Amino acid sequence: MPSWAEVVAMASELPEVEESTWFRTPSLKVAGKGFARLRAEAEGGLVLMCALEEKEALLASGDPAYYTTPHYDGYGAILVDLAAVDPDQLRELIEESWRRKAPAKLRKAHEQGSVWR
């Protein structure tokens, strides 16, 4: 089971990631924009940004690691159960969430400069 510290470590491999708070809970930001948040209202739950189509696919997969609540209906964010998620899949979702919030110039520099892992 990945911990918040492991989420931070995975995300910190990406450029310009900073630890912060978002809605008074631990979060990760890039260029001042939140892309990951630990949910205080659900122990072990992590909010990650994603496309609505990806969210629908993750929920339709039946994998218990992915869920949502009515609060997130129609919003491009997936809730991830850290106790159930595959660490490799989590890494991919963290990077995708980062890409959704990182400035275009930073994304481009990252894509051209290094392979993440």
Side-chain angles (χ1 to χ4, degrees), residues 3-48:
S3 65
W4 173 250
E6 290 169 305
V7 169
V8 171
M10 288 179 192
S12 293
E13 295 175 17
L14 295 162
E16 298 186 27
V17 170
E18 62 179 296
E19 284 189 78
S20 187
T21 58
W22 184 7
F23 296 108
R24 298 186 197 147
T25 60
S27 70
L28 297 169
K29 294 182 179 182
V30 58
K33 295 181 180 180
F35 69 92
R37 179 178 77 85
L38 191 61
R39 294 184 71 220
E41 59 275 19
E43 189 170 324
L46 181 68
V47 181
L48 293 172

Side-chain angles (χ1 to χ4, degrees), residues 22-23 28 34-39 41 45-60 65-81 90 93-94 96-98 100-101:
W22 184 7
F23 296 108
L28 297 169
F35 69 92
R37 179 178 77 85
L38 191 61
R39 294 184 71 220
E41 59 275 19
L46 181 68
V47 181
L48 293 172
M49 304 299 106
C50 66
L52 285 173
E53 298 80 20
E54 182 177 14
K55 177 180 181 174
E56 291 171 12
L58 289 168
L59 293 172
Y66 309 111
Y67 64 102
T68 192
T69 65
H71 177 76
Y72 291 96
D73 286 351
Y75 184 68
I78 189 72
L79 303 179
V80 180
D81 181 350
L90 177 61
L93 291 170
I94 289 170
E96 176 59 27
S97 185
W98 176 88
R100 297 191 72 75
K101 294 297 182 169

